[in-house]
PDB file of all heavy atoms in Angstrom:
ATOM      1  N   ASN A  86    -100.536  17.229  57.772  1.00  0.00           N
ATOM      2  CA  ASN A  86     -99.236  17.063  58.445  1.00  0.00           C
ATOM      3  C   ASN A  86     -98.204  16.418  57.526  1.00  0.00           C
ATOM      4  O   ASN A  86     -97.054  16.862  57.462  1.00  0.00           O
ATOM      5  CB  ASN A  86     -99.391  16.210  59.711  1.00  0.00           C
ATOM      6  CG  ASN A  86    -100.088  16.973  60.822  1.00  0.00           C
ATOM      7  OD1 ASN A  86    -100.246  18.193  60.742  1.00  0.00           O
ATOM      8  ND2 ASN A  86    -100.511  16.263  61.853  1.00  0.00           N
ATOM      9  N   GLU A  87     -98.630  15.359  56.845  1.00  0.00           N
ATOM     10  CA  GLU A  87     -97.688  14.710  55.924  1.00  0.00           C
ATOM     11  C   GLU A  87     -97.308  15.681  54.798  1.00  0.00           C
ATOM     12  O   GLU A  87     -96.144  15.759  54.402  1.00  0.00           O
ATOM     13  CB  GLU A  87     -98.305  13.435  55.330  1.00  0.00           C
ATOM     14  CG  GLU A  87     -98.431  12.305  56.354  1.00  0.00           C
ATOM     15  CD  GLU A  87     -99.033  11.013  55.808  1.00  0.00           C
ATOM     16  OE1 GLU A  87     -99.711  11.072  54.754  1.00  0.00           O
ATOM     17  OE2 GLU A  87     -98.842   9.967  56.431  1.00  0.00           O
ATOM     18  N   GLY A  88     -98.306  16.412  54.313  1.00  0.00           N
ATOM     19  CA  GLY A  88     -98.055  17.386  53.244  1.00  0.00           C
ATOM     20  C   GLY A  88     -97.043  18.444  53.677  1.00  0.00           C
ATOM     21  O   GLY A  88     -96.141  18.809  52.908  1.00  0.00           O
ATOM     22  N   ALA A  89     -97.174  18.919  54.927  1.00  0.00           N
ATOM     23  CA  ALA A  89     -96.257  19.951  55.432  1.00  0.00           C
ATOM     24  C   ALA A  89     -94.831  19.422  55.486  1.00  0.00           C
ATOM     25  O   ALA A  89     -93.876  20.120  55.141  1.00  0.00           O
ATOM     26  CB  ALA A  89     -96.718  20.414  56.817  1.00  0.00           C
ATOM     27  N   ARG A  90     -94.695  18.151  55.898  1.00  0.00           N
ATOM     28  CA  ARG A  90     -93.352  17.557  55.978  1.00  0.00           C
ATOM     29  C   ARG A  90     -92.725  17.380  54.594  1.00  0.00           C
ATOM     30  O   ARG A  90     -91.530  17.595  54.413  1.00  0.00           O
ATOM     31  CB  ARG A  90     -93.436  16.183  56.654  1.00  0.00           C
ATOM     32  CG  ARG A  90     -93.451  16.271  58.148  1.00  0.00           C
ATOM     33  CD  ARG A  90     -93.469  14.868  58.769  1.00  0.00           C
ATOM     34  NE  ARG A  90     -94.273  14.933  59.982  1.00  0.00           N
ATOM     35  CZ  ARG A  90     -95.203  14.069  60.336  1.00  0.00           C
ATOM     36  NH1 ARG A  90     -95.460  13.028  59.576  1.00  0.00           N
ATOM     37  NH2 ARG A  90     -95.888  14.237  61.444  1.00  0.00           N
ATOM     38  N   LEU A  91     -93.538  16.961  53.639  1.00  0.00           N
ATOM     39  CA  LEU A  91     -93.038  16.798  52.263  1.00  0.00           C
ATOM     40  C   LEU A  91     -92.605  18.160  51.708  1.00  0.00           C
ATOM     41  O   LEU A  91     -91.522  18.306  51.135  1.00  0.00           O
ATOM     42  CB  LEU A  91     -94.138  16.185  51.376  1.00  0.00           C
ATOM     43  CG  LEU A  91     -94.522  14.726  51.682  1.00  0.00           C
ATOM     44  CD1 LEU A  91     -95.833  14.354  51.004  1.00  0.00           C
ATOM     45  CD2 LEU A  91     -93.420  13.768  51.222  1.00  0.00           C
ATOM     46  N   LEU A  92     -93.475  19.143  51.933  1.00  0.00           N
ATOM     47  CA  LEU A  92     -93.250  20.508  51.425  1.00  0.00           C
ATOM     48  C   LEU A  92     -91.945  21.094  51.960  1.00  0.00           C
ATOM     49  O   LEU A  92     -91.227  21.800  51.244  1.00  0.00           O
ATOM     50  CB  LEU A  92     -94.438  21.368  51.866  1.00  0.00           C
ATOM     51  CG  LEU A  92     -94.870  22.557  51.009  1.00  0.00           C
ATOM     52  CD1 LEU A  92     -94.974  22.198  49.536  1.00  0.00           C
ATOM     53  CD2 LEU A  92     -96.200  23.108  51.521  1.00  0.00           C
ATOM     54  N   LYS A  93     -91.657  20.800  53.206  1.00  0.00           N
ATOM     55  CA  LYS A  93     -90.466  21.334  53.874  1.00  0.00           C
ATOM     56  C   LYS A  93     -89.176  20.884  53.193  1.00  0.00           C
ATOM     57  O   LYS A  93     -88.130  21.527  53.325  1.00  0.00           O
ATOM     58  CB  LYS A  93     -90.462  20.821  55.322  1.00  0.00           C
ATOM     59  CG  LYS A  93     -90.126  21.882  56.355  1.00  0.00           C
ATOM     60  CD  LYS A  93     -90.304  21.338  57.745  1.00  0.00           C
ATOM     61  CE  LYS A  93     -89.076  21.600  58.601  1.00  0.00           C
ATOM     62  NZ  LYS A  93     -89.257  21.073  59.962  1.00  0.00           N
ATOM     63  N   GLN A  94     -89.236  19.768  52.483  1.00  0.00           N
ATOM     64  CA  GLN A  94     -88.041  19.214  51.828  1.00  0.00           C
ATOM     65  C   GLN A  94     -87.755  19.870  50.476  1.00  0.00           C
ATOM     66  O   GLN A  94     -86.697  19.664  49.893  1.00  0.00           O
ATOM     67  CB  GLN A  94     -88.210  17.692  51.612  1.00  0.00           C
ATOM     68  CG  GLN A  94     -88.370  16.898  52.891  1.00  0.00           C
ATOM     69  CD  GLN A  94     -87.124  16.969  53.764  1.00  0.00           C
ATOM     70  OE1 GLN A  94     -86.006  17.058  53.264  1.00  0.00           O
ATOM     71  NE2 GLN A  94     -87.318  16.981  55.080  1.00  0.00           N
ATOM     72  N   ILE A  95     -88.744  20.617  49.980  1.00  0.00           N
ATOM     73  CA  ILE A  95     -88.637  21.147  48.616  1.00  0.00           C
ATOM     74  C   ILE A  95     -87.965  22.515  48.619  1.00  0.00           C
ATOM     75  O   ILE A  95     -88.388  23.412  49.357  1.00  0.00           O
ATOM     76  CB  ILE A  95     -90.042  21.250  47.970  1.00  0.00           C
ATOM     77  CG1 ILE A  95     -90.711  19.868  47.942  1.00  0.00           C
ATOM     78  CG2 ILE A  95     -89.948  21.858  46.580  1.00  0.00           C
ATOM     79  CD1 ILE A  95     -92.184  19.909  47.540  1.00  0.00           C
ATOM     80  N   ARG A  96     -86.937  22.677  47.810  1.00  0.00           N
ATOM     81  CA  ARG A  96     -86.292  23.980  47.674  1.00  0.00           C
ATOM     82  C   ARG A  96     -87.046  24.838  46.662  1.00  0.00           C
ATOM     83  O   ARG A  96     -87.705  24.329  45.765  1.00  0.00           O
ATOM     84  CB  ARG A  96     -84.850  23.792  47.178  1.00  0.00           C
ATOM     85  CG  ARG A  96     -83.926  23.254  48.249  1.00  0.00           C
ATOM     86  CD  ARG A  96     -82.511  22.971  47.769  1.00  0.00           C
ATOM     87  NE  ARG A  96     -82.090  23.677  46.563  1.00  0.00           N
ATOM     88  CZ  ARG A  96     -80.816  23.688  46.133  1.00  0.00           C
ATOM     89  NH1 ARG A  96     -79.884  23.046  46.814  1.00  0.00           N
ATOM     90  NH2 ARG A  96     -80.488  24.316  45.025  1.00  0.00           N
ATOM     91  N   ASP A  97     -86.875  26.153  46.802  1.00  0.00           N
ATOM     92  CA  ASP A  97     -87.606  27.070  45.932  1.00  0.00           C
ATOM     93  C   ASP A  97     -87.258  26.897  44.450  1.00  0.00           C
ATOM     94  O   ASP A  97     -88.103  27.120  43.583  1.00  0.00           O
ATOM     95  CB  ASP A  97     -87.309  28.528  46.332  1.00  0.00           C
ATOM     96  CG  ASP A  97     -88.052  28.909  47.612  1.00  0.00           C
ATOM     97  OD1 ASP A  97     -88.948  28.146  48.024  1.00  0.00           O
ATOM     98  OD2 ASP A  97     -87.715  29.951  48.198  1.00  0.00           O
ATOM     99  N   ASP A  98     -86.003  26.513  44.198  1.00  0.00           N
ATOM    100  CA  ASP A  98     -85.564  26.443  42.794  1.00  0.00           C
ATOM    101  C   ASP A  98     -85.844  25.072  42.164  1.00  0.00           C
ATOM    102  O   ASP A  98     -85.411  24.811  41.040  1.00  0.00           O
ATOM    103  CB  ASP A  98     -84.063  26.756  42.680  1.00  0.00           C
ATOM    104  CG  ASP A  98     -83.207  25.738  43.436  1.00  0.00           C
ATOM    105  OD1 ASP A  98     -83.740  25.065  44.349  1.00  0.00           O
ATOM    106  OD2 ASP A  98     -82.014  25.615  43.109  1.00  0.00           O
ATOM    107  N   GLU A  99     -86.560  24.223  42.855  1.00  0.00           N
ATOM    108  CA  GLU A  99     -86.800  22.885  42.321  1.00  0.00           C
ATOM    109  C   GLU A  99     -88.110  22.811  41.533  1.00  0.00           C
ATOM    110  O   GLU A  99     -89.092  23.467  41.885  1.00  0.00           O
ATOM    111  CB  GLU A  99     -86.779  21.847  43.456  1.00  0.00           C
ATOM    112  CG  GLU A  99     -85.341  21.614  43.935  1.00  0.00           C
ATOM    113  CD  GLU A  99     -85.251  20.777  45.196  1.00  0.00           C
ATOM    114  OE1 GLU A  99     -86.203  20.779  45.994  1.00  0.00           O
ATOM    115  OE2 GLU A  99     -84.215  20.142  45.391  1.00  0.00           O
ATOM    116  N   TYR A 100     -88.075  22.001  40.496  1.00  0.00           N
ATOM    117  CA  TYR A 100     -89.280  21.759  39.710  1.00  0.00           C
ATOM    118  C   TYR A 100     -90.003  20.573  40.337  1.00  0.00           C
ATOM    119  O   TYR A 100     -89.429  19.497  40.501  1.00  0.00           O
ATOM    120  CB  TYR A 100     -88.920  21.441  38.254  1.00  0.00           C
ATOM    121  CG  TYR A 100     -90.128  21.461  37.348  1.00  0.00           C
ATOM    122  CD1 TYR A 100     -90.524  22.625  36.705  1.00  0.00           C
ATOM    123  CD2 TYR A 100     -90.894  20.310  37.162  1.00  0.00           C
ATOM    124  CE1 TYR A 100     -91.643  22.644  35.888  1.00  0.00           C
ATOM    125  CE2 TYR A 100     -92.019  20.322  36.349  1.00  0.00           C
ATOM    126  CZ  TYR A 100     -92.387  21.490  35.720  1.00  0.00           C
ATOM    127  OH  TYR A 100     -93.509  21.512  34.920  1.00  0.00           O
ATOM    128  N   VAL A 101     -91.270  20.776  40.704  1.00  0.00           N
ATOM    129  CA  VAL A 101     -91.998  19.765  41.477  1.00  0.00           C
ATOM    130  C   VAL A 101     -93.042  19.055  40.619  1.00  0.00           C
ATOM    131  O   VAL A 101     -93.973  19.684  40.101  1.00  0.00           O
ATOM    132  CB  VAL A 101     -92.682  20.400  42.710  1.00  0.00           C
ATOM    133  CG1 VAL A 101     -93.538  19.361  43.436  1.00  0.00           C
ATOM    134  CG2 VAL A 101     -91.628  20.978  43.649  1.00  0.00           C
ATOM    135  N   ILE A 102     -92.857  17.746  40.473  1.00  0.00           N
ATOM    136  CA  ILE A 102     -93.855  16.906  39.804  1.00  0.00           C
ATOM    137  C   ILE A 102     -94.555  16.106  40.899  1.00  0.00           C
ATOM    138  O   ILE A 102     -93.950  15.264  41.549  1.00  0.00           O
ATOM    139  CB  ILE A 102     -93.189  15.977  38.769  1.00  0.00           C
ATOM    140  CG1 ILE A 102     -92.494  16.840  37.690  1.00  0.00           C
ATOM    141  CG2 ILE A 102     -94.226  15.041  38.146  1.00  0.00           C
ATOM    142  CD1 ILE A 102     -91.730  16.041  36.640  1.00  0.00           C
ATOM    143  N   LEU A 103     -95.822  16.431  41.110  1.00  0.00           N
ATOM    144  CA  LEU A 103     -96.590  15.803  42.190  1.00  0.00           C
ATOM    145  C   LEU A 103     -97.443  14.669  41.624  1.00  0.00           C
ATOM    146  O   LEU A 103     -98.221  14.880  40.680  1.00  0.00           O
ATOM    147  CB  LEU A 103     -97.496  16.852  42.854  1.00  0.00           C
ATOM    148  CG  LEU A 103     -98.430  16.348  43.960  1.00  0.00           C
ATOM    149  CD1 LEU A 103     -97.637  15.927  45.205  1.00  0.00           C
ATOM    150  CD2 LEU A 103     -99.452  17.432  44.325  1.00  0.00           C
ATOM    151  N   LEU A 104     -97.318  13.498  42.187  1.00  0.00           N
ATOM    152  CA  LEU A 104     -98.188  12.384  41.787  1.00  0.00           C
ATOM    153  C   LEU A 104     -99.583  12.663  42.340  1.00  0.00           C
ATOM    154  O   LEU A 104     -99.748  12.835  43.551  1.00  0.00           O
ATOM    155  CB  LEU A 104     -97.662  11.065  42.349  1.00  0.00           C
ATOM    156  CG  LEU A 104     -96.586  10.344  41.544  1.00  0.00           C
ATOM    157  CD1 LEU A 104     -97.204   9.603  40.371  1.00  0.00           C
ATOM    158  CD2 LEU A 104     -95.482  11.273  41.063  1.00  0.00           C
ATOM    159  N   ASP A 105    -100.567  12.718  41.443  1.00  0.00           N
ATOM    160  CA  ASP A 105    -101.886  13.191  41.852  1.00  0.00           C
ATOM    161  C   ASP A 105    -102.934  12.562  40.926  1.00  0.00           C
ATOM    162  O   ASP A 105    -102.906  12.757  39.704  1.00  0.00           O
ATOM    163  CB  ASP A 105    -101.904  14.722  41.728  1.00  0.00           C
ATOM    164  CG  ASP A 105    -103.196  15.333  42.256  1.00  0.00           C
ATOM    165  OD1 ASP A 105    -104.138  14.582  42.587  1.00  0.00           O
ATOM    166  OD2 ASP A 105    -103.263  16.579  42.320  1.00  0.00           O
ATOM    167  N   LEU A 106    -103.866  11.813  41.542  1.00  0.00           N
ATOM    168  CA  LEU A 106    -104.929  11.170  40.763  1.00  0.00           C
ATOM    169  C   LEU A 106    -105.805  12.182  40.037  1.00  0.00           C
ATOM    170  O   LEU A 106    -106.499  11.837  39.081  1.00  0.00           O
ATOM    171  CB  LEU A 106    -105.808  10.302  41.680  1.00  0.00           C
ATOM    172  CG  LEU A 106    -105.368   8.843  41.850  1.00  0.00           C
ATOM    173  CD1 LEU A 106    -106.143   8.186  42.987  1.00  0.00           C
ATOM    174  CD2 LEU A 106    -105.580   8.053  40.556  1.00  0.00           C
ATOM    175  N   ALA A 107    -105.776  13.450  40.509  1.00  0.00           N
ATOM    176  CA  ALA A 107    -106.537  14.498  39.832  1.00  0.00           C
ATOM    177  C   ALA A 107    -105.669  15.263  38.836  1.00  0.00           C
ATOM    178  O   ALA A 107    -106.081  16.296  38.311  1.00  0.00           O
ATOM    179  CB  ALA A 107    -107.142  15.452  40.865  1.00  0.00           C
ATOM    180  N   GLY A 108    -104.457  14.739  38.573  1.00  0.00           N
ATOM    181  CA  GLY A 108    -103.557  15.406  37.636  1.00  0.00           C
ATOM    182  C   GLY A 108    -103.769  14.952  36.202  1.00  0.00           C
ATOM    183  O   GLY A 108    -104.827  14.423  35.852  1.00  0.00           O
ATOM    184  N   LYS A 109    -102.757  15.187  35.369  1.00  0.00           N
ATOM    185  CA  LYS A 109    -102.840  14.843  33.943  1.00  0.00           C
ATOM    186  C   LYS A 109    -101.944  13.659  33.632  1.00  0.00           C
ATOM    187  O   LYS A 109    -100.849  13.548  34.150  1.00  0.00           O
ATOM    188  CB  LYS A 109    -102.347  16.026  33.097  1.00  0.00           C
ATOM    189  CG  LYS A 109    -103.421  17.029  32.820  1.00  0.00           C
ATOM    190  CD  LYS A 109    -102.957  17.979  31.724  1.00  0.00           C
ATOM    191  CE  LYS A 109    -103.889  19.187  31.692  1.00  0.00           C
ATOM    192  NZ  LYS A 109    -103.264  20.385  31.163  1.00  0.00           N
ATOM    193  N   GLU A 110    -102.412  12.811  32.729  1.00  0.00           N
ATOM    194  CA  GLU A 110    -101.582  11.694  32.281  1.00  0.00           C
ATOM    195  C   GLU A 110    -100.663  12.141  31.152  1.00  0.00           C
ATOM    196  O   GLU A 110    -100.965  13.090  30.429  1.00  0.00           O
ATOM    197  CB  GLU A 110    -102.466  10.540  31.789  1.00  0.00           C
ATOM    198  CG  GLU A 110    -103.072   9.749  32.928  1.00  0.00           C
ATOM    199  CD  GLU A 110    -103.537   8.355  32.484  1.00  0.00           C
ATOM    200  OE1 GLU A 110    -102.690   7.517  32.146  1.00  0.00           O
ATOM    201  OE2 GLU A 110    -104.755   8.135  32.489  1.00  0.00           O
ATOM    202  N   LYS A 111     -99.555  11.451  31.050  1.00  0.00           N
ATOM    203  CA  LYS A 111     -98.648  11.627  29.917  1.00  0.00           C
ATOM    204  C   LYS A 111     -98.152  10.249  29.532  1.00  0.00           C
ATOM    205  O   LYS A 111     -97.879   9.438  30.415  1.00  0.00           O
ATOM    206  CB  LYS A 111     -97.430  12.460  30.330  1.00  0.00           C
ATOM    207  CG  LYS A 111     -97.586  13.962  30.175  1.00  0.00           C
ATOM    208  CD  LYS A 111     -96.239  14.637  30.394  1.00  0.00           C
ATOM    209  CE  LYS A 111     -96.405  16.120  30.630  1.00  0.00           C
ATOM    210  NZ  LYS A 111     -96.845  16.877  29.451  1.00  0.00           N
TER     211      LYS A 111
END
Side-chain angles (χ1 to χ4, degrees):
Chain A
N86 287 347
E87 289 180 340
R90 277 183 215 134
L91 292 165
L92 209 47
K93 225 173 130 180
Q94 298 296 327
I95 301 170
R96 286 176 22 170
D97 285 347
D98 62 339
E99 286 171 333
Y100 192 90
V101 175
I102 299 177
L103 177 69
L104 275 281
D105 185 352
L106 270 168
K109 274 193 194 154
E110 283 200 68
K111 271 189 196 291

